[in-house]
Amino acid sequence: MKYLFLVAVVFSTFYSCTAPANKIVTSPEKNTSFNSFLDNYYESRLQLFPLEATFIGDNRFNDKLYIDISENERERQKTFFRTTLDSLSAFNYDSLNDNDKLSYDVLHRDLSLSLEGFRFHDNYLPINQFSSLPLIIGQMAGGKSAQPFVTIKDYDNWLARLSIFSNWLDSSIIYFRKGIDSGIVLPKSIAIKFIPQIESMIVDDVESSLFFSPLKTFPASFGHTDKLRITAAYKKSIAEKVTPAYKRLYTFLKNEYLPKARSSSGVGALPGGQEYYKYQVRLSTTTNKSPEEIYSVGIQEVERIKQEMELTKERVGYKGDLKSFLEYLKNDKRFMPFSKPGEILNAFHNIRGKIQPNLLRLFSDTPKTKFEIRQTEAFRAASASAEYSQGTPDGQRPGIFYIPILDPASFNITSGMESLFLHEAIPGHHYQISLQQENMQLPKFRRFGGNNAYVEGWALYCESLGKELGLYTDPYQYMGALGDEMHRAVRLVVDVAIHSKNMTREDAIRYMMNNQSISEAGATSEIERYMVWPAQALGYKIGALKISEIRMKIEKQLGSKFNIAEFHKQVLKDGALPLDVLEKKLATWAATVK
């Protein structure tokens, strides 16, 4: 899920911070100096990472785009992080109030881990089939994503950004070659997937290009002269810059890169890959758990969930074994009742209506940001998962729950529709991200930042609220929810095994298919996602387990004084925190209640 467009906000382990001597002393009541520093950091950051600004609805830098894979740009980022960390360390930690201490801790962690990340040359792998700049730019080019196309300036901004993007495509060839020279290359199975994505952007007819899309829906206020000028400029940019750049990249990838792509599946096989994976584990889980520890948790969770699946199978009276039951759920046509995309979208709207009465009992705070359910755009649907795209706090763009629908007739209701909605939409990502963005008490870097273990952990925890929200009454839908939970447990096993235990892509696909109801195509897409996004999939289960553990502990501690709506408010009120910071904060809150 691309819940937040955080170009360089790093998801990391918490760094304990104690203030050394000779610090700037600030007032615990006002902390004006510290808050000015945070504001300046945020402003400088948006200028350095303009796509971040666009995705949070700040349109001041919509004409900017930097070649972030280049060594020069990485050096500029490194200098920014190092200078900011030095300035942060000048403040007296003990003099800060509680909210500012949280800001100090989060920022210290982000900056420190950002700097550590420059040890690794992930810029030698600039494009993949799942999440990279060409896909993001393609989505924006459609005119219905974060890049606005409302004013003349909007159209001129995109034209300027598009020109730089052409240079980015050419730069990607340079850094792919550096990767070849250094032995840092993508798996062949991945290269085979994204090369056709690049090829699909090459068109002979300019007007059939995805990048021509905004010109097909000019605002009614545009005059004839402006339309002619913009159309001519876009045609020239597409024909002379964008399409030729895609052609050069495609030719390079097909003829030069693909033959050099590797046969191994995980980053552990690359030079320095084992250390890189451990680093990514810390980023994604905000813990110091080793890959081996996480692998062990995964094995245990797979077995626990499998037992619950067995009980559910018995409740519906199915006589075969669990594997055949999963095959039955996956293939029987009774579980595929749809014929049109609209029917699937309506089914999700019905789920929203069903949970509405119970939301008020479990949540005292609800977002002001509007919410929509949409079908994923056709150009990226084949490689996309269901996902949430954040809205903007000014109300200009709603939060959007995207559903990829390739063939409505094969869309299976036992795939976990209810749990999927709870996770990606309400009360998962939409509540958490929107409430965080709307909270004016948070400094902006926390309002619009996040970490993987908290954000995805919260969303997976929300799946466990299904029965409390009036869902999972149908045992087949509950099997879907168990399947989704199993999916996250399997991730712990295969992600670690691929990247640190030499598990092959094919073995990982088989393991996934043996333990959950998923097609070979679905399992392949998932495994290939983990291959190019190491450790990201670990944050879901690790985060959800921690939030559930904290809840059970506080419920036991408070007894009749425990209020579930207040607990959820406390979890969400300070935004996305590292897991140990969250645990400490909630323990302090529970002590005051008791």
Side-chain angles (χ1 to χ4, degrees):
M1 162 261 159
K2 303 179 188 75
Y3 46 90
L4 291 173
F5 192 82
L6 302 175
V7 178
V9 171
V10 192
F11 308 129
S12 56
T13 187
F14 170 63
Y15 276 69
S16 174
C17 307
T18 54
N22 301 319
K23 297 293 180 180
I24 298 170
V25 178
T26 59
S27 163
E29 290 78 25
K30 294 184 178 180
N31 295 303
T32 54
S33 177
F34 184 69
N35 285 294
S36 294
F37 161 74
L38 294 179
D39 288 342
N40 290 335
Y41 160 73
Y42 179 77
E43 182 68 21
S44 298
R45 181 185 180 84
L46 291 187
Q47 295 179 44
L48 191 63
F49 301 106
L51 283 181
E52 272 189 40
T54 300
F55 270 82
I56 62 174
D58 186 332
N59 295 324
R60 291 174 297 160
F61 314 110
N62 283 359
D63 61 331
K64 300 289 190 297
L65 183 70
Y66 299 113
I67 302 177
D68 55 352
I69 55 178
S70 72
E71 295 300 342
N72 286 342
E73 188 61 25
R74 281 163 62 92
E75 192 59 41
R76 189 163 77 107
Q77 294 173 9
K78 191 188 303 184
T79 299
F80 170 69
F81 292 136
R82 186 183 296 113
T83 302
T84 306
L85 183 59
D86 290 343
S87 298
L88 176 66
S89 300
F91 288 93
N92 187 326
Y93 183 80
D94 293 332
S95 74
L96 302 177
N97 64 32
D98 290 343
N99 188 42
D100 288 341
K101 283 179 179 177
L102 288 177
S103 294
Y104 188 110
D105 293 341
V106 173
L107 184 55
H108 193 285
R109 176 210 64 185
D110 287 348
L111 295 170
S112 300
L113 267 292
S114 293
L115 287 168
E116 184 180 344
F118 288 110
R119 294 168 46 206
F120 307 105
H121 288 289
D122 47 9
N123 60 323
Y124 291 178
L125 305 171
I127 301 174
N128 61 60
Q129 87 292 357
F130 182 73
S131 178
S132 55
L133 190 62
L135 289 175
I136 293 164
I137 291 292
Q139 188 175 3
M140 296 170 84
K144 297 182 180 180
S145 181
Q147 187 89 16
F149 291 94
V150 179
T151 67
I152 298 293
K153 181 173 173 53
D154 288 340
Y155 278 77
D156 289 339
N157 283 341
W158 180 245
L159 193 63
R161 184 167 268 180
L162 205 54
S163 178
I164 303 165
F165 175 61
S166 301
N167 296 333
W168 190 97
L169 291 173
D170 285 331
S171 296
S172 72
I173 297 175
I174 295 172
Y175 287 92
F176 269 130
R177 284 190 174 127
K178 286 179 179 288
I180 291 173
D181 293 340
S182 304
I184 301 175
V185 294
L186 288 165
K188 189 177 292 290
S189 59
I190 298 300
I192 289 171
K193 286 293 174 64
F194 76 81
I195 291 175
Q197 293 177 338
I198 300 299
E199 184 183 19
S200 70
M201 296 297 184
I202 302 170
V203 294
D204 294 327
D205 177 17
V206 167
E207 295 189 15
S208 67
S209 170
L210 177 65
F211 296 95
F212 193 81
S213 299
L215 279 68
K216 298 177 180 178
T217 54
F218 274 127
S221 60
F222 282 22
H224 181 67
T225 302
D226 286 325
K227 289 180 181 179
L228 287 178
R229 177 187 66 82
I230 293 170
T231 299
Y234 271 59
K235 284 185 174 181
K236 181 179 176 65
S237 180
I238 295 168
E240 298 180 8
K241 292 183 178 181
V242 179
T243 300
Y246 269 111
K247 284 181 179 178
R248 289 189 292 271
L249 178 58
Y250 172 71
T251 299
F252 161 77
L253 291 171
K254 182 180 179 182
N255 298 334
E256 186 175 336
Y257 193 79
L258 186 59
K260 300 292 179 65
R262 59 188 164 95
S263 58
S264 58
S265 300
V267 296
L270 299 175
Q274 292 291 345
E275 287 305 309
Y276 177 67
Y277 184 61
K278 291 176 183 177
Y279 169 74
Q280 291 295 333
V281 169
R282 288 190 291 122
L283 294 181
S284 290
T285 67
T286 68
T287 73
N288 289 317
K289 291 182 181 293
S290 68
E292 191 60 43
E293 287 178 280
I294 292 172
Y295 180 82
S296 179
V297 170
I299 294 294
Q300 294 170 22
E301 282 293 288
V302 166
E303 290 306 311
R304 179 188 65 79
I305 299 165
K306 191 177 292 184
Q307 291 177 15
E308 183 66 18
M309 285 181 163
E310 290 280 5
L311 291 174
T312 306
K313 173 178 72 73
E314 292 172 7
R315 289 191 197 108
V316 300
Y318 187 84
K319 301 303 181 183
D321 60 15
L322 182 58
K323 185 174 179 60
S324 67
F325 185 50
L326 294 177
E327 284 297 313
Y328 165 65
L329 295 177
K330 183 170 66 177
N331 297 314
D332 196 284
K333 291 300 181 182
R334 67 173 287 199
F335 302 121
M336 304 174 210
F338 306 113
S339 60
K340 300 176 182 177
E343 294 172 350
I344 297 170
L345 300 181
N346 286 338
F348 282 108
H349 281 291
N350 291 337
I351 292 170
R352 182 185 185 185
K354 192 173 182 179
I355 66 173
Q356 196 62 40
N358 292 306
L359 280 172
L360 301 176
R361 181 175 58 83
L362 269 63
F363 294 91
S364 57
D365 293 344
T366 56
K368 299 180 179 67
T369 303
K370 294 180 180 179
F371 171 78
E372 292 183 9
I373 301 171
R374 295 184 190 173
Q375 183 178 353
T376 304
E377 305 94 334
F379 82 91
R380 64 188 186 95
S383 297
S385 302
E387 63 187 5
Y388 176 77
S389 177
Q390 73 201 62
T392 52
D394 62 5
Q396 293 298 308
R397 190 175 74 241
I400 303 168
F401 173 39
Y402 281 105
I403 311 294
I405 306 172
L406 297 178
D407 175 19
S410 64
F411 197 99
N412 194 310
I413 62 171
T414 70
S415 59
M417 293 180 70
E418 292 182 344
S419 51
L420 177 65
F421 187 84
L422 297 180
H423 181 114
E424 296 291 347
I426 297 173
H429 289 316
H430 181 64
Y431 267 36
Q432 184 266 308
I433 294 170
S434 299
L435 288 171
Q436 177 176 301
Q437 289 186 151
E438 294 168 10
N439 186 353
M440 301 299 290
Q441 301 303 311
L442 299 179
K444 288 183 178 179
F445 90 95
R446 282 170 60 195
R447 282 179 63 201
F448 301 109
N451 73 74
N452 187 50
Y454 176 96
V455 174
E456 294 296 355
W458 166 260
L460 181 54
Y461 163 79
C462 286
E463 293 184 32
S464 72
L465 302 177
K467 291 185 177 180
E468 293 176 88
L469 286 167
L471 300 180
Y472 304 163
T473 54
D474 178 350
Y476 295 109
Q477 280 288 348
Y478 183 53
M479 274 298 293
L482 290 174
D484 279 351
E485 190 179 11
M486 175 67 85
H487 185 54
R488 278 40 174 266
V490 166
R491 281 176 168 177
L492 299 186
V493 177
V494 296
D495 195 289
V496 174
I498 288 169
H499 294 295
S500 68
K501 294 178 175 290
N502 296 316
M503 177 181 270
T504 66
R505 166 184 174 274
E506 292 70 27
D507 285 343
I509 291 169
R510 277 193 292 272
Y511 182 87
M512 179 169 279
M513 293 180 69
N514 285 339
N515 286 283
Q516 61 181 102
S517 177
I518 189 170
S519 67
E520 184 173 358
T524 300
S525 178
E526 287 291 325
I527 296 302
E528 289 176 345
R529 166 186 166 178
Y530 313 150
M531 288 165 63
V532 299
W533 208 356
Q536 187 272 343
L538 305 180
Y540 299 70
K541 194 66 176 169
I542 296 300
L545 287 172
K546 175 54 69 175
I547 294 172
S548 294
E549 174 193 320
I550 295 170
R551 173 178 169 173
M552 287 188 289
K553 182 177 179 180
I554 292 178
E555 276 188 289
K556 183 177 180 180
Q557 178 183 348
L558 297 184
S560 61
K561 290 185 177 181
F562 180 79
N563 181 286
I564 185 59
E566 184 61 26
F567 172 76
H568 288 153
K569 179 177 181 177
Q570 292 298 323
V571 172
L572 295 171
K573 68 183 288 288
D574 291 306
L577 299 174
L579 295 180
D580 54 353
V581 180
L582 177 68
E583 185 171 25
K584 181 180 178 181
K585 188 200 81 159
L586 291 174
T588 301
W589 164 72
T592 62
V593 174
K594 188 175 182 180

